[in-house]
C-alpha cells in the first residue's frame, strides 16, 4: 500500500505529460505507454493509424518499429547460440571481397565492425531516393565490400547491415526464415501476439500508414520501397511492446536472462567504455542509467527505453516525423516528478569577438569537414555528423555537448606518430566513438576556378561508381551513378579551396547521410582524385577520368 501511495503523485504528473504529447508532437496519430515494476501505469493512444481509411490508432495497431528490431535480432542470436561466433563462417561468406579480416559477430552486434553503412553506400551507386531496394540489391552492395573504415573493435559507427548480416547468417545456419526465428525465439516466448516481420516497407497488412508533412502544410503518406530484415524489418503494436517490457521485468533477477545478457556493459578493444551493445544504446537520463533504442523511417518515429534500477519502461510510437526520443525522455522525467529537461548551462555574457573554434576545419583521418559557427548566445553549431550539433561554450577555447568536447589548441606543437603537427588546430573528443580526432584549420578562400572541377570521377572500390560534376551557368552540380541507377543532381556548396559539400537530405533510409564532404586532391598542381566521406561511409577515393 505504501509503494502504491508513493507513486500516485508521479502518476498524475505522468498522465498530464502523456496527454500533452499529442499536442506537443502533432501528427496523424500515436501511442505511448509507461510501465513500472512490470505493470502499465499509463497508456494513451490518439488520432488515426490511417487518415485515408479512417482507422483509429489503437494499442493493437501495427507499427513499423524500424531499428528497434536490432535488439530482437540480438535476442534471437543470444537465445539460439551459446557462442555467437558460431555464425562467423556464414558472415565470412557474405564478405567475399573483403581484403582484411572480417569483424566478429559480436563486433557486428556492438556496431564496432568498421563496415560502411550500406544505405549510405547505396546512394553512391545511384539509388533513387524513393526507389525500390531489393534483397538482390542489398546482396550486391554488401558483397562488394573491399575495405573497412576502421579496425574492428577500435571505434563505433552505426551500421545497419551489421544486423542484416546476423539475421541472414542465422537463416543460413538454421534453415529457417528470419520470420520463423523471430516467432520461435521472441514472439511466442514473450507474448507478442501481433508482431511480424514486415520486411518490405511499402505497406502494413492492417493499413497503418506513416506520414510526412506538418500541421501547417498538411500530411501525406510517406513512400518507402526498401526491404529490411534483421536491421529494421519488424512491425509490432503497442500491446506487443508492452509485452516485451513486461518480459524484461520478469527476468530482472536472472543474471542470465536475455535482456540482462544483452544490456551488460560493452567495451572497445582498448578497455574504454562503449555506448552500444547487442542492439541497445547505453545512456543516462536525469542521472539514471538506461538502455534504449529508436526507430526511424520516412513517416515513422519510435523509441523505447528501460531503466533497470527504477524498473521503469517507456514506449513511444508516432506515425509521423516528430522526435519520439525526446517525447520518451519527457515521459521519463515526468515519472520522476521533473517538469522537463534541466536548464542548459549558463553561457558567458558579453562575448563580442568570434570564438576560437569558429571556422572551417578538416578531419584528415575520416575526410570529414567540420564547420563551426556562432548560434544562440553562448552556443556554437557544429556540422560534422549527419545532423548539426549544438555546443555549449565553456571557455574561450572549449565547447561541449554531453560527452563531446571540442578544444582549441594554440601556441604549441604536438607530436603525432613521427609527424610534428603545427597549431592552431582543434581536438574533438568523442568518447562514444572511442575517438580523439585532430582537425586542422582549412582556409575558406580563395576557391580555385570551379569550372576546373567539372568532369567525371570513378571509384574502383565501389565497382565503378561514378560522380559527375557539371557547371550550369557557373554553378556546380553533382550526382552519383552506378549499378543502382542514376542519382539526382544536387547543387554543390563551396567550403574552401578544393573542399565542397554535396547535400543528401533525403535518401533510401532515414536519417539520410546528410552532407558528403568532397575533398579534391591535386598532384603537381593538377586534379588527381576526389575523396568522398560522410560519417556513415568514409574515405572513398574517386579517380579523375580523362576528359
Amino acid at each position: 500500500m505504501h509503494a502504491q501511495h508513493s507513486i500516485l503523485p508521479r502518476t498524475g504528473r505522468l498522465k498530464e505529460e502523456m496527454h500533452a504529447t499529442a499536442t506537443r508532437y502533432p501528427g496523424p496519430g500515436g501511442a505511448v505507454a509507461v510501465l513500472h515494476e512490470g505493470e502499465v501505469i499509463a497508456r494513451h493512444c490518439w488520432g488515426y493509424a490511417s487518415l485515408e481509411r479512417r482507422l483509429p490508432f489503437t494499442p493493437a495497431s501495427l507499427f513499423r518499429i524500424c531499428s528497434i528490431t536490432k535488439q530482437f535480432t540480438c535476442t534471437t542470436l543470444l537465445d539460439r547460440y551459446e557462442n555467437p561466433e558460431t555464425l562467423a563462417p556464414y558472415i565470412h561468406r557474405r564478405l567475399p571481397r573483403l581484403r582484411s579480416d572480417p569483424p566478429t559477430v559480436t563486433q557486428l552486434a556492438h556496431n564496432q565492425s568498421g563496415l560502411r553503412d550500406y544505405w549510405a553506400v547505396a546512394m553512391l551507386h545511384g539509388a533513387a531516393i524513393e526507389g525500390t531496394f531489393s534483397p538482390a540489391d542489398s546482396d550486391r552492395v554488401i558483397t562488394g565490400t573491399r575495405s573497412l573504415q576502421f579496425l574492428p573493435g577500435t571505434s563505433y559507427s552505426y551500421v545497419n547491415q551489421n544486423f542484416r548480416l546476423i539475421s541472414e547468417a542465422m537463416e543460413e545456419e538454421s534453415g529457417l526464415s528470419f520470420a520463423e526465428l523471430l516467432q520461435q525465439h521472441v514472439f511466442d516466448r514473450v507474448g507478442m501476439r501481433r508482431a511480424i516481420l514486415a520486411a518490405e516497407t511499402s505497406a502494413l497488412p492492417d493499413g497503418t500508414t506513416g506520414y510526412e508533412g506538418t500541421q501547417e502544410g498538411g500530411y501525406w503518406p510517406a513512400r518507402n520501397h526498401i526491404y529490411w530484415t534483421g536491421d529494421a524489418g519488424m512491425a509490432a503494436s503497442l500491446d506487443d511492446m508492452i509485452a516485451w517490457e513486461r518480459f524484461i521485468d520478469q527476468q530482472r533477477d536472472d543474471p542470465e536472462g536475455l535482456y540482462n545478457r544483452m544490456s551488460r556493459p560493452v567495451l572497445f578493444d582498448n578497455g574504454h567504455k562503449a555506448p552500444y551493445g547487442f542492439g541497445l544504446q547505453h545512456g543516462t537520463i536525469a542521472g539514471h542509467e538506461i538502455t534504449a533504442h529508436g526507430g526511424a523511417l520516412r513517416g515513422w518515429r519510435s523509441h523505447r527505453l528501460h531503466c533497470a534500477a527504477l524498473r521503469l519502461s517507456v514506449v513511444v510510437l508516432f506515425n509521423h516525423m516528430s522526435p519520439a526520443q525526446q517525447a520518451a525522455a519527457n515521459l521519463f522525467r515526468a515519472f520522476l516528478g521533473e517538469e522537463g529537461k534541466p536548464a542548459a548551462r549558463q553561457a558567458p555574457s558579453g562575448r563580442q569577438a568570434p570564438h576560437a573554434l569558429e571556422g572551417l576545419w578538416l578531419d584528415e583521418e575520416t575526410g570529414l569537414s567540420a564547420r563551426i559557427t556562432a548560434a544562440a548566445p553562448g552556443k556554437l553549431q557544429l556540422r560534422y555528423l549527419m545532423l548539426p550539433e549544438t555546443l555549449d561554450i565553456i571557455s574561450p577555447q572549449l565547447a561541449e555537448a554531453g560527452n563531446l568536447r571540442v578544444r582549441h589548441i594554440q601556441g604549441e606543437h604536438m607530436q603525432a606518430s613521427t609527424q610534428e603537427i603545427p597549431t592552431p588546430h582543434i581536438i574533438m573528443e568523442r568518447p562514444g566513438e572511442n575517438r580523439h580526432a585532430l582537425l586542422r584549420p582549412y582556409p575558406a578562400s580563395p576557391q580555385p576556378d570551379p569550372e576546373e572541377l567539372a568532369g567525371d570521377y570513378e571509384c574502383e572500390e565501389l565497382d565503378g561508381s561514378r560522380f559527375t560534376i557539371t557547371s550550369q551557368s557557373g554553378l556546380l552540380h553533382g550526382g552519383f551513378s552506378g549499378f543502382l541507377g542514376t542519382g539526382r543532381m544536387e547543387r554543390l556548396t563551396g567550403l574552401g579551396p578544393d573542399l565542397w559539400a554535396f547535400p543528401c537530405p533525403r535518401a533510401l533510409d532515414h536519417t539520410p547521410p546528410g552532407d558528403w564532404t568532397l575533398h579534391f586532391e591535386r598532384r603537381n598542381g593538377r586534379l588527381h582524385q576526389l575523396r568522398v566521406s560522410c560519417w556513415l561511409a568514409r574515405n572513398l577515393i574517386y579517380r579523375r577520368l580523362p576528359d
Side-chain angles (χ1 to χ4, degrees), residues 13 62 114 146 152 155 167 200 209 238 283 290 295 306 391 499 519 530 540:
R13 171 75 185 91
L62 281 176
R146 289 177 166 88
S155 189
S167 66
E200 205 283 319
T209 303
L238 182 66
I290 64 163
H306 176 69
L391 306 174
L499 192 69
H519 188 200
L530 165 63
L540 291 161

Side-chain angles (χ1 to χ4, degrees), residues 120-127 462 465-466 480-482 516 532 537 540 542:
V121 172
M123 304 312 295
L124 305 183
H125 287 297
L462 298 182
S465 163
R466 184 167 292 196
F480 291 96
S481 57
W516 294 85
V532 177
L540 291 161
Y542 283 71

Side-chain angles (χ1 to χ4, degrees), residues 13-26 44:
R13 171 75 185 91
L14 178 62
K15 289 183 176 178
E16 289 177 11
E17 178 64 32
M18 184 167 284
H19 284 82
T21 300
T23 303
R24 190 172 290 126
Y25 304 99
H44 182 45

Side-chain angles (χ1 to χ4, degrees), residues 466-482:
R466 184 167 292 196
F467 186 57
T468 300
I469 298 177
T470 64
S471 177
Q472 299 289 335
S473 302
L475 300 178
L476 293 189
H477 289 73
F480 291 96
S481 57

Side-chain angles (χ1 to χ4, degrees), residues 500-520:
W500 293 71
F502 175 84
C504 190
R506 293 175 68 86
L508 279 170
D509 185 21
H510 198 285
T511 303
D515 287 350
W516 294 85
T517 296
L518 309 178
H519 188 200
F520 295 87

